[in-house]
Amino acid sequence: MKSYTPDGHIETALTEKDAKELDIIELFFFAYRDFTADPDMILEKLEFGRAHHRVLYFVNRKPGMTVAELLEVLKITKQSLARVLKQLIDKDHIVQIQGPRDRRQRELYPTHRGRQLALELAAPQSRRIANALEQLDPSKRAVIEHFLKAMVNPAQWQQIDSLPKSG
Amino acid sequence: MKSYTPDGHIETALTEKDAKELDIIELFFFAYRDFTADPDMILEKLEFGRAHHRVLYFVNRKPGMTVAELLEVLKITKQSLARVLKQLIDKDHIVQIQGPRDRRQRELYPTHRGRQLALELAAPQSRRIANALEQLDPSKRAVIEHFLKAMVNPAQWQQIDSLPKSG
DNA sequence: AAATTAAGTCAACAACACTGACATAATCTT
DNA sequence: AAGATTATGTCAGTGTTGTTGACTTAATTT
């Protein structure tokens, strides 16, 4: 059914017959694109980028996190983290405190400003999610969460589970 | 309940009480991180990046797409697309054909090689999704699709709807 | 005392995005 | 037919976010 042209190019679209789950592959792309676009606009005004957002987010979710833990979650190198973290510290969004048990470690905490910004950045994302869930009946929430968690490598579920629940 | 320390840093974690849907915010982050990691490994060997993947994907999904259409979907500038597209053309994954109606346009088509690579890149992503769905009963598939579509800006639903269905 | 670990730093580099300016060819408008 | 607009391509410069590799410092472990 794949139609070839004289010069060898393909005119037939790739569809579900060729590869499964294409619809979800592209929905995931579009959803993530728009999901990140909202905070990006806020960050631009502060001369921060998406990398700053990620650091700020996780430090707020787990205050006292060490540098090594953060690197594990973000899956980037310490040199890459260094620049971004330095800027967040300089602009008084995060502070580093020498680890009490092991004084080589640096525990990361948000300042009041850092907490405020994290909340401001979370707001449009919460709104987008709440809006998407509203169109579903409440029992469906668990389905979404289960699906998303199953999309994550099981080896890293521990990262998710280590974050605090609603409390 | 927010506990301040003498020097002003915050030790209390950000939780659902402070901002809604945090669990889905972070699940979305982790899921997308791992979802893109699989094709990234394949691309590395070919000296391609994630940008090449996105171009190749959409050209395969809608052969004959023009440059302008692609820019709209990817939300990048033509200068940014140029480099990546040139490399895909040089390495014989995509061809450009002068538009038959409007000869200013360049219609983009995958070559056989380009189709093969698109399939190879889609494979691990399909597998990951199929595996995540397997743990749910089949009726739940529609719930996921509905949720993901609702996460996309309605103004861009037309981009999703313009892609070919299984047919 | 020696080895290892946590973190920081310097330097070079690459991918992928951006802005602004300009060129060419084709189409549309008047 | 002339002029304006459109689709694409290209050149040059810049910024963010990532990489590798090498080295330092201080603290902890062996």
Side-chain angles (χ1 to χ4, degrees), chain B residues 13-54:
Chain B
L14 183 70
T15 66
E16 294 283 338
K17 285 178 304 189
D18 309 296
K20 299 293 168 201
E21 322 299 352
L22 291 181
D23 51 348
I24 293 181
I25 289 177
E26 60 219 22
L27 279 170
F28 214 49
F29 164 75
F30 286 117
Y32 200 76
R33 182 194 66 179
D34 292 353
F35 175 69
T36 51
D38 301 323
D40 282 355
M41 282 176 54
I42 299 169
L43 291 159
E44 211 177 348
K45 287 177 283 184
L46 301 170
E47 310 206 271
F48 286 152
R50 205 175 287 181
H52 300 86
H53 186 185
R54 292 195 284 253

Side-chain angles (χ1 to χ4, degrees), chain B residues 54-55 70-78 80-81:
Chain B
R54 292 195 284 253
V55 170
L70 192 49
L71 293 177
E72 254 306 294
V73 168
L74 300 178
K75 297 240 188 282
I76 59 174
T77 57
K78 66 177 169 175
S80 194
L81 174 61

Side-chain angles (χ1 to χ4, degrees), chain B residues 9 26 94 116 138 163:
Chain B
H9 75 256
E26 60 219 22
I94 289 181
Q116 286 294 108
L163 296 172

Side-chain angles (χ1 to χ4, degrees), chain A residues 4 9 12 14 20-21 23 26 33 57 60-61 73 97 112 115 126 128 141 145 151 153, chain B residues 4 9 12 14 20-21 23 26 33 57 60-61 73 97 112 115 126 128 141 145 151:
Chain A
Y4 284 93
H9 74 260
T12 313
L14 184 69
K20 298 295 166 202
E21 322 299 352
D23 51 349
E26 60 218 23
R33 183 194 64 180
Y57 182 88
N60 269 281
R61 279 292 278 155
V73 168
I97 295 184
H112 183 63
R115 172 59 57 96
S126 300
R128 184 182 291 271
R141 204 180 193 292
E145 289 183 13
M151 288 285 286
N153 293 340
Chain B
Y4 284 94
H9 75 256
T12 314
L14 183 70
K20 299 293 168 201
E21 322 299 352
D23 51 348
E26 60 219 22
R33 182 194 66 179
Y57 182 87
N60 269 281
R61 278 291 279 154
V73 168
I97 294 184
H112 183 63
R115 171 59 56 95
S126 301
R128 184 182 291 272
R141 203 178 196 291
E145 289 184 10
M151 289 285 285

